[in-house]
Amino acid sequence: MALTSSSSLPLPLPLHQQFTSPKYSKHPSITLSLSEKSSDSITPLSKSPTRTIPGDYGLPIIGPWKDRQDYFYNQGKNEFFKSRIDKYKSTVFRTNMPPGPFISSNSKVIALLDGKSFPILFDVSKVEKKDVFTGTYTPSTSLTGRYRVLSYLDPSEPNHEKLKKLMFRLLTSRSDHIIPEFQKEYTEFAKTLDREMMEDGRVELNALNDQFSFNFLAKSLLGVEPSDTELGMDAPILIGKWVLFQLHPVLTLGLPRVLDDIVLRTFQLPSFLVKKDYQRLYDFFYRNSTDSFNSEAEKLGVSREEASHNLLFAICFNTFGGMKIFFPNMLKWIAKAGVELHSHLSSEIRSQVKSSGGKITMTAMDKMPLLKSVVYEALRIDPPVSSQYGRAKQDLIIESHHATFHVKKGEMLYGYQPFATKDPEIFDRPEEFVADRFVGKEGERLLKHVLWSNGPESESPTLENKQCAGKDFVVFVSRLFVIEFFLRYDTLEVDVGTSPLGAKITITSLKRA
């Protein structure tokens, strides 16, 4: 997500997809470029074996403030990094990362902006992941019940294994509910979509997607209908306010520049302003956590209170946050790719579902190579979590494609994922949405360079690493989203705007099947 993260979406599903190599009918490549700005190829570097890391941090306070202005206002994220790559002739360099003073005591990082250097951020034998979930600052634990939740823990900390195991086992116990609850909730989603299109001729997707996503998660993972509880339909709004109080130092809300910068990045917003909102969410999860979840927490030596705070964070911040951002982003790329892709997708999906007796099954989904590729390509080109951090546990040697660099113990490493996953040395036409990029054996070999889950797509989360524990779950429900859409509709058109988290999507045309 566009959220800064070191262990996004910690909810698993024991559905590790086997990457088969089914015969793929040779559809023509369908491509689309939606770059923020036109980007030239990275300037080739001289092939020196060792190089001093270029860049500097500037004067105290002034340097971080100046970089912050460039990052948010003068240049924007992509140009901020691209201009420095061009300046230093290097994809590895020193810079400051927001928020800087006075929220962050140390904003100095070493940026890793290519697909070769970036993966060191996943190696927990070399980098520490303690309290780097949001980057160079850490929100108050008063926003998480006074607990350091799983996302902020390094695998070396004893509680990490307990809590990650608890999240793994949550979905193991609820895996049979995923498909049926998704289908039920998507049916309601589609009814609302059709009604609003008929009445207004256009649909604002994001709010509709938010409600759908939370309802699905509550029903599938907890077995409860939110509208039947005191929480009602308020969860998406409550979560939005709570997340804002954690991420405001690295967001922009579109306020006038001076006001935006002063309000969001001078001091952390006081947590008491969302205390009642958080309590409502906490009460919902405490009261509705399943008996098996509570029993498992007790066996692991985790109190019900701590387990409930972690459950809330995992579902509301990580999983709901991922669906909130990624589903509209994914639909944006699919819509913009045009009717040709829509025709191929609908044909593949409907054919396989028909062959399985009209049911969506794992076997049927595994025979949809274009569907799988489209989801992976959306995760590559528009990852829901754009930033990863890690602190060097020892003196390190880091390699880019063209140089070697020495990093000292204790230095903070930072990776901006969209540059790593659009590395022109790895991907052909990296700025384009290539729908069938990951089809076939050659395409599957590229999956190791899809990094959205805080690890390669070709690897799996474990108790010992910080890869997203919900990696398979996220990919699975993303495929379900596309399947359900193209079982009902032939094609769509959208308008794309911006929001603090991801794209703002308005569906302007929708053709039913």
Side-chain angles (χ1 to χ4, degrees), residues 423-436:
D423 186 336
E425 303 254 1
I426 295 172
F427 292 103
D428 181 44
R429 294 173 292 163
E431 296 286 344
E432 296 179 25
F433 181 86
V434 181
D436 57 358

Side-chain angles (χ1 to χ4, degrees), residues 277-347:
D277 296 328
Y278 183 76
Q279 188 64 45
R280 285 187 66 192
L281 290 169
Y282 174 78
D283 289 344
F284 173 80
F285 284 95
Y286 185 87
R287 293 167 182 167
N288 293 293
S289 56
T290 64
D291 291 340
S292 61
F293 178 82
N294 295 327
S295 176
E296 188 61 37
E298 185 178 354
K299 289 178 185 176
L300 292 169
V302 179
S303 70
R304 183 174 177 183
E305 181 183 48
E306 182 174 10
S308 296
H309 285 293
N310 274 274
L311 180 63
L312 188 163
F313 196 92
I315 290 179
C316 294
F317 193 110
N318 299 136
T319 315
F320 170 79
M323 294 171 71
K324 173 185 177 69
I325 294 169
F326 182 62
F327 283 3
N329 283 354
M330 178 173 62
L331 205 59
K332 169 191 72 178
W333 289 104
I334 292 172
K336 292 295 184 180
V339 175
E340 186 179 9
L341 172 61
H342 305 166
S343 176
H344 291 318
L345 271 175
S346 60
S347 177

Side-chain angles (χ1 to χ4, degrees), residues 132-328:
V132 297
F133 180 69
T134 45
T136 59
Y137 77 102
T138 305
S140 169
T141 56
S142 60
L143 291 164
T144 52
R146 301 292 178 184
Y147 289 98
R148 289 176 61 238
V149 293
L150 176 61
S151 293
Y152 290 92
L153 301 180
D154 185 78
S156 64
E157 299 180 79
N159 236 25
H160 179 274
E161 179 175 341
K162 294 179 182 179
L163 293 172
K164 196 167 187 179
K165 185 180 292 185
L166 181 61
M167 296 306 158
F168 275 136
R169 292 184 179 175
L170 168 68
L171 282 188
T172 300
S173 66
R174 299 292 302 175
S175 59
D176 290 343
H177 299 271
I178 303 301
I179 292 179
E181 294 299 346
F182 195 97
Q183 291 180 303
K184 290 177 187 176
E185 204 55 43
Y186 202 102
T187 298
E188 296 305 312
F189 170 88
K191 286 179 181 178
T192 305
L193 190 63
D194 290 342
R195 185 181 67 251
E196 292 188 8
M197 282 297 299
M198 186 175 295
E199 292 174 353
D200 303 325
R202 56 196 294 118
V203 179
E204 301 291 339
L205 178 69
N206 296 67
L208 182 59
N209 176 67
D210 288 355
Q211 196 67 62
F212 154 75
S213 297
F214 186 82
N215 288 351
F216 158 68
L217 291 170
K219 292 168 74 173
S220 62
L221 302 182
L222 304 178
V224 62
E225 172 64 68
S227 61
D228 293 338
T229 72
E230 292 182 1
L231 189 60
M233 306 293 281
D234 296 340
I237 294 174
L238 299 178
I239 295 170
K241 291 168 64 178
W242 171 65
V243 168
L244 173 63
F245 273 63
Q246 296 172 76
L247 295 182
H248 68 86
V250 292
L251 298 178
T252 180
L253 299 181
L255 302 171
R257 175 171 174 168
V258 173
L259 185 62
D260 190 83
D261 199 49
I262 291 175
V263 171
L264 299 180
R265 279 172 280 282
T266 304
F267 301 101
Q268 292 202 44
L269 300 176
S271 59
F272 73 83
L273 293 176
V274 289
K275 183 177 180 179
K276 290 183 179 179
D277 296 328
Y278 183 76
Q279 188 64 45
R280 285 187 66 192
L281 290 169
Y282 174 78
D283 289 344
F284 173 80
F285 284 95
Y286 185 87
R287 293 167 182 167
N288 293 293
S289 56
T290 64
D291 291 340
S292 61
F293 178 82
N294 295 327
S295 176
E296 188 61 37
E298 185 178 354
K299 289 178 185 176
L300 292 169
V302 179
S303 70
R304 183 174 177 183
E305 181 183 48
E306 182 174 10
S308 296
H309 285 293
N310 274 274
L311 180 63
L312 188 163
F313 196 92
I315 290 179
C316 294
F317 193 110
N318 299 136
T319 315
F320 170 79
M323 294 171 71
K324 173 185 177 69
I325 294 169
F326 182 62
F327 283 3

